[in-house]
Amino acid sequence: MSEQGTSSQGTSGRGAVDEQGTAGRGTTEQETGTGEARRGGAAWALVITSVAGFMAALDNLVVTTALPSIRKDLGGALDDLEWTVSAYTLTFAVLLMFGAALGDRFGRRKLFMTGLTIFTGASAAAALAPGIQGLVAARAVQGVGAAIMMPLTLTLLTAAVPAAKRGMAYGIWGAVNGLAVASGPLIGGALTEHFSWQWIFWLNVPLGVLALPLARLRLSESYGSGARLDVVGTVLASGGLFGIVYSLIRGNIDGWTSSTVLAGLVVGTLLLGAFVRHGMRAEAPLLPMRLFRNRGFSAINLASLLMYVGMFGSIFLLSQFLQGVLGYSPTEAGLRMLPWTGMPLLVAPVAGILSDRIGGKPVVAAGLALQSLGLAWFAVIMSPTVSYAAQLPALIAGGTGMALYFAPAANLVMSSVRPAEQGIASGANNALREVGGSLGVAVLAAVFSAQGGYSSGQAFTDGLRPALWAGAAAVALAAASALCLPRRTTAAPVEVPRAAREDVLVG
C-alpha cells in the first residue's frame, strides 16, 4: 500500500489517520463533514480533551494537602499515606505508552472512553474507600485509567483541529493542564478545608459522567498504524519505567542505598536499555527509536523532562512553605499562588497563536527561561518572613513562563512526527514528563533534606533555598535544550521520509 490519501490533506487539513486500509475507517466525519461541522467538532474536541486532561493532571498532586485529614479518617502509617500519592503516579507513568499503543491499535476514541470510564469509576471508589488500603488500590486504578486516556487527549485534539489553528487549540489545552498541575495542592486543600477530603475524588465523577456521552457523540474515531501490539516492547518499557519510578518514589523514604531502591534503579535501567535496543531492531516496535533521530522530537522531549523536574519539585515544596512556614490556610495559600497558577489561562492561548505565527522554538525557549528566572527569584528572596509583595514578581515570571511553554511544546511534539505516529509520540512525551515529575520531587526533596528540615521555619527555608536553585538549574537546562530545536515558521506537521515497513493514509 502507498500513501494514496495524501492528496486529501489540503481539503481536510486535519491530519486524520486511518491505518487499517478499510473503506469503513477510511471515511470519517473529519473528512466528509461540512466546514461548520468540522468547526463544531474541533470546539467539542477541545472541550472534551481539556476536561479529561485536567482531571488526569490534577490528580498528580491534589491529594498532598489532604493527607492529614485522610489519616485522621482512615488511619494508616506514614508509608500508607505516601502511597496514596505514589500509587497513582506509578501506574500512570508506567502505562502511558501502552495506553497510547492500545488507542492506535483499537481506536483512539474507543480507548479514550475506556480510560475515562476506568478513571471515573476509580475516583468514586476512592471517595467511598472504607480504609487506607482500599484508597491506595483505587488510586492505582485511577492511574491506569489516566494512562489510557491522557496521551489520547492530544492525539484526538490534533485529529480534530485544522493544522493552521492547532497552536491556539494546544494553547487552551495546555493552559487547562498547566492550571491543573499547579493548582492541585490548592484545590485539594480548599475542598478538604471547606467540605471533606472525599470531594477531591467526587469532583471527577460528574465531569467524567458528562464527558463520556459527549466523547461518543462529538469525537471522531481514528487509528494508528494498525500493527500488532508490541508485547516485548510493552513488557520492557513497563518494567523499566516501574523500576525507575518506584525507586524515585521510595528513594528519600527507604534510603538511596537500600536494596529495593538500588535493585529498582539497576533493573529498571537495564530494561529500558533493552527497550531502546528493541526499538532500534524490531519491525514494528512500541516506540521506534528512529523518532529520536529527529532533532525536534529529541530536543522537545528532553526539554519537557527537565521542565517537569524543576516545576514539580518546586511546587511540591513551595506549597508546603506557604502553609507550614508563612502560616496560610490552604485556601489563602492558593489565592496567593494565583499569579502563577492562573497565568496559563491568560497567556497560554496567546502563546499558541504566537507559535503558529513565529514558530514554537522562540516561545518555548522564552517560557522556560522565564520559569527558571522565577524559581531563581524565589531562591534569592526566600526567608521565613518574606512578604507577598516580594514574591509577586517570581510568581508572575514563573506563571508566564509555564504558560508560554505548554502550548508550543504540545505542538512541537505532534508536528515532529507523522500523523500515524502521533499517538505513541504523545504517550512517550507524557511518560517522560511523569518520570521528570517523580525525579523532580525526589531530587529536590533530597536537596531539601540535606540542607534543612521541618523543625522550624528557618530550617525549612534553609532546605528550600538550595532546592529551588536546583529546580531553576533544571529548567534553565530545559531552555538550553529548546534552543536546539530546528527553526519553525508554521505549526503544520513536518513531512518526514516514509518508513519502508509502514503504510499511511493521511486524511
Side-chain angles (χ1 to χ4, degrees), residues 22-84:
T22 63
R25 289 178 180 174
T27 304
T28 67
E29 176 187 335
Q30 296 170 355
E31 297 166 338
T32 61
T34 65
E36 182 178 354
R38 286 197 295 267
R39 285 193 295 273
W44 278 113
L46 179 58
V47 171
I48 296 165
T49 58
S50 294
V51 168
F54 179 88
M55 294 163 63
L58 180 70
D59 275 56
N60 261 312
L61 294 173
V62 72
V63 178
T64 54
T65 47
L67 292 179
S69 296
I70 292 174
R71 184 179 184 181
K72 182 179 178 181
D73 284 358
L74 301 184
L78 177 62
D79 185 67
D80 296 319
L81 291 175
E82 289 164 347
W83 273 112
T84 63

Side-chain angles (χ1 to χ4, degrees), residues 365-379:
L368 292 170
L370 268 177
Q371 192 172 18
S372 179
L373 176 64
L375 293 177
W377 188 291
F378 263 121

Side-chain angles (χ1 to χ4, degrees), residues 1 32 380:
M1 185 186 296
T32 61
V380 169

Side-chain angles (χ1 to χ4, degrees), residues 150-242:
M150 184 61 175
L152 298 177
T153 61
L154 197 51
T155 315
L156 289 166
L157 181 61
T158 301
V161 178
K165 297 182 179 180
R166 284 178 190 156
M168 180 175 64
Y170 289 148
I172 298 171
W173 179 88
V176 174
N177 278 269
L179 178 65
V181 170
S183 63
L186 158 66
I187 294 175
L191 289 174
T192 301
E193 181 181 351
H194 298 293
F195 298 96
S196 69
W197 65 263
Q198 285 89 348
W199 278 98
I200 294 172
F201 304 109
W202 282 127
L203 176 67
N204 294 323
V205 176
L207 293 175
V209 169
L210 287 172
L212 275 167
L214 289 175
R216 177 67 183 84
L217 295 172
R218 297 294 182 177
L219 295 178
S220 296
E221 189 60 280
S222 64
Y223 297 82
S225 66
R228 292 182 179 181
L229 287 176
D230 178 14
V231 177
V232 174
T234 299
V235 172
L236 291 174
S238 300
L241 287 171
F242 181 88

Side-chain angles (χ1 to χ4, degrees), residues 475-504:
V475 181
L477 288 175
S481 178
L483 291 175
C484 296
L485 287 162
R487 184 176 297 276
R488 296 286 308 232
T489 56
T490 71
V494 297
E495 293 187 13
V496 298
R498 179 174 53 188
R501 291 185 296 267
E502 294 180 78
D503 299 318
V504 181

Side-chain angles (χ1 to χ4, degrees), residues 104-488:
D104 284 350
R105 179 66 180 87
F106 298 109
R108 291 159 179 164
R109 181 185 65 182
K110 183 187 301 181
L111 264 295
F112 171 79
M113 294 175 62
T114 300
L116 183 57
T117 300
I118 293 171
F119 184 87
T120 303
S123 297
L128 295 170
I132 193 68
Q133 299 301 329
L135 177 59
V136 171
R139 287 283 287 165
V141 178
Q142 262 192 313
V144 174
I148 296 173
M149 73 175 182
M150 184 61 175
L152 298 177
T153 61
L154 197 51
T155 315
L156 289 166
L157 181 61
T158 301
V161 178
K165 297 182 179 180
R166 284 178 190 156
M168 180 175 64
Y170 289 148
I172 298 171
W173 179 88
V176 174
N177 278 269
L179 178 65
V181 170
S183 63
L186 158 66
I187 294 175
L191 289 174
T192 301
E193 181 181 351
H194 298 293
F195 298 96
S196 69
W197 65 263
Q198 285 89 348
W199 278 98
I200 294 172
F201 304 109
W202 282 127
L203 176 67
N204 294 323
V205 176
L207 293 175
V209 169
L210 287 172
L212 275 167
L214 289 175
R216 177 67 183 84
L217 295 172
R218 297 294 182 177
L219 295 178
S220 296
E221 189 60 280
S222 64
Y223 297 82
S225 66
R228 292 182 179 181
L229 287 176
D230 178 14
V231 177
V232 174
T234 299
V235 172
L236 291 174
S238 300
L241 287 171
F242 181 88
I244 296 294
V245 176
Y246 176 86
S247 297
L248 291 175
I249 290 171
R250 302 301 303 176
N252 288 318
I253 301 165
D254 298 338
W256 290 101
T257 58
S258 68
S259 58
T260 54
V261 171
L262 287 176
L265 289 172
V266 172
V267 174
T269 300
L270 291 174
L271 288 175
L272 288 181
F275 174 69
V276 171
R277 183 180 178 86
H278 175 76
M280 296 171 64
R281 297 190 170 194
E283 182 176 351
L286 178 66
L287 178 61
M289 290 299 122
R290 59 178 170 76
L291 295 182
F292 290 95
R293 298 173 191 165
N294 182 307
R295 182 158 57 99
F297 185 77
S298 296
I300 192 59
N301 275 290
L302 179 59
S304 297
L305 174 71
L306 291 168
M307 185 268 193
Y308 268 66
V309 168
M311 182 183 69
F312 257 70
S314 299
I315 290 175
F316 178 75
L317 292 171
L318 281 171
S319 62
Q320 297 181 64
F321 172 79
L322 290 173
Q323 296 176 60
V325 178
L326 298 185
Y328 298 128
S329 70
T331 303
E332 291 171 339
L335 290 174
R336 284 163 175 78
M337 288 284 283
L338 275 177
W340 187 358
T341 59
M343 197 62 70
L345 290 176
L346 301 175
V347 178
V350 178
I353 296 173
L354 192 62
S355 71
D356 281 340
R357 295 183 178 179
I358 66 173
K361 175 180 176 178
V363 183
V364 167
L368 292 170
L370 268 177
Q371 192 172 18
S372 179
L373 176 64
L375 293 177
W377 188 291
F378 263 121
V380 169
I381 65 169
M382 193 54 58
S383 77
T385 57
V386 62
S387 68
Y388 182 66
Q391 298 176 54
L392 197 56
L395 291 168
I396 294 173
T400 303
M402 184 170 64
L404 289 173
Y405 159 83
F406 272 113
N411 204 352
L412 287 165
V413 170
M414 301 304 277
S415 65
S416 65
V417 299
R418 293 180 299 162
E421 297 164 336
Q422 287 174 341
I424 193 58
S426 175
N429 183 256
N430 276 278
L432 286 170
R433 291 192 300 180
E434 286 302 307
V435 171
S438 298
L439 181 62
V441 172
V443 170
L444 267 64
V447 173
F448 168 82
S449 299
Q451 302 293 324
Y454 290 90
S455 59
S456 67
Q458 186 60 55
F460 193 100
T461 303
D462 290 341
L464 178 59
R465 190 180 295 112
L468 289 174
W469 278 118
V475 181
L477 288 175
S481 178
L483 291 175
C484 296
L485 287 162
R487 184 176 297 276
R488 296 286 308 232

